[in-house]
Amino acid sequence: MRIPLDLYQILGVPIQATPEQIDQAFDDRCQQLPRQEYSKAAVEARTQLLQDAHAVLSETKTRTAYDQSLLADSAPADTQGIELQDNQLIGALLLLQEQSDYERISQLGSAYLQQSIDLNRLPNTNNRTEEDIVLAMALANLEAGRECWQQKQFEK
């Protein structure tokens, strides 16, 4: 599944970030743990995405190559982002949750669930990935609702 995130967004740094800022952001993000309700596999997927992003951005050669591919204007908008395996999606959703990108969590989670399961039944108890994605979507909707309520956007 392709998601509209880049490695800089995963670490939460701007493209102009210094190597020290990238290292600091990586350390900070690794120390922040998601809610305890998520499975161990979800936390590991999040950590793996952080490690992969740090590995590319902390090496000068790989970062330069990545920046060139990122800034290339020839890529269509629907092919931008990174390609994830299904078991990595929950890690990306956890990172988006930390960035308060609730709308994107709902979009990506819905797209995955529509491909993955029958929405007329409960998630399979043998598949923690589905449960984690449903949890991420529920928490995203809860937080988005709180934000709307605080901004007095009751209709939304």
Side-chain angles (χ1 to χ4, degrees):
M1 172 178 258
R2 180 167 291 283
I3 63 166
L5 273 179
D6 62 52
L7 301 181
Y8 291 101
Q9 291 171 318
I10 287 175
L11 287 179
V13 296
I15 196 168
Q16 306 87 356
T18 65
E20 294 79 20
Q21 289 172 321
I22 289 172
D23 290 339
Q24 183 64 47
F26 173 71
D27 292 340
D28 291 346
R29 298 297 298 267
C30 286
Q31 289 178 5
Q32 298 170 352
L33 294 177
R35 297 173 65 109
Q36 65 183 14
E37 292 87 3
Y38 287 107
S39 69
K40 183 178 179 181
V43 175
E44 289 172 358
R46 174 190 173 273
T47 303
Q48 186 62 48
L49 286 173
L50 289 169
Q51 289 172 345
D52 292 347
H54 183 257
V56 171
L57 298 179
S58 64
E59 292 291 325
T60 305
K61 290 181 183 178
T62 57
R63 182 177 178 181
T64 302
Y66 178 74
D67 288 349
Q68 290 173 351
S69 70
L70 188 65
L71 298 174
D73 294 332
S74 61
D78 61 343
T79 62
Q80 293 176 344
I82 57 174
E83 189 70 32
L84 296 179
Q85 298 172 6
D86 286 348
N87 63 343
Q88 293 176 309
L89 175 62
I90 186 58
L93 295 181
L94 292 177
L95 293 168
L96 288 169
Q97 192 173 48
E98 293 166 14
Q99 297 172 8
S100 303
D101 195 346
Y102 306 124
E103 186 175 334
R104 199 176 302 181
I105 292 170
S106 294
Q107 292 169 351
L108 293 170
S110 294
Y112 173 81
L113 292 176
Q114 287 175 352
Q115 295 173 1
S116 170
I117 64 172
D118 179 0
L119 295 177
N120 294 321
R121 67 170 176 81
L122 293 175
N124 183 348
T125 56
N126 297 330
N127 189 345
R128 284 290 294 169
T129 300
E130 291 176 2
E131 292 175 3
D132 286 329
I133 290 173
V134 170
L135 176 60
M137 292 175 62
L139 292 172
N141 285 323
L142 175 67
E143 292 302 322
R146 283 184 181 154
E147 285 180 2
C148 289
W149 178 75
Q150 289 173 344
Q151 298 168 2
K152 300 193 185 313
Q153 297 176 345
F154 303 115
E155 298 83 22
K156 191 174 180 182

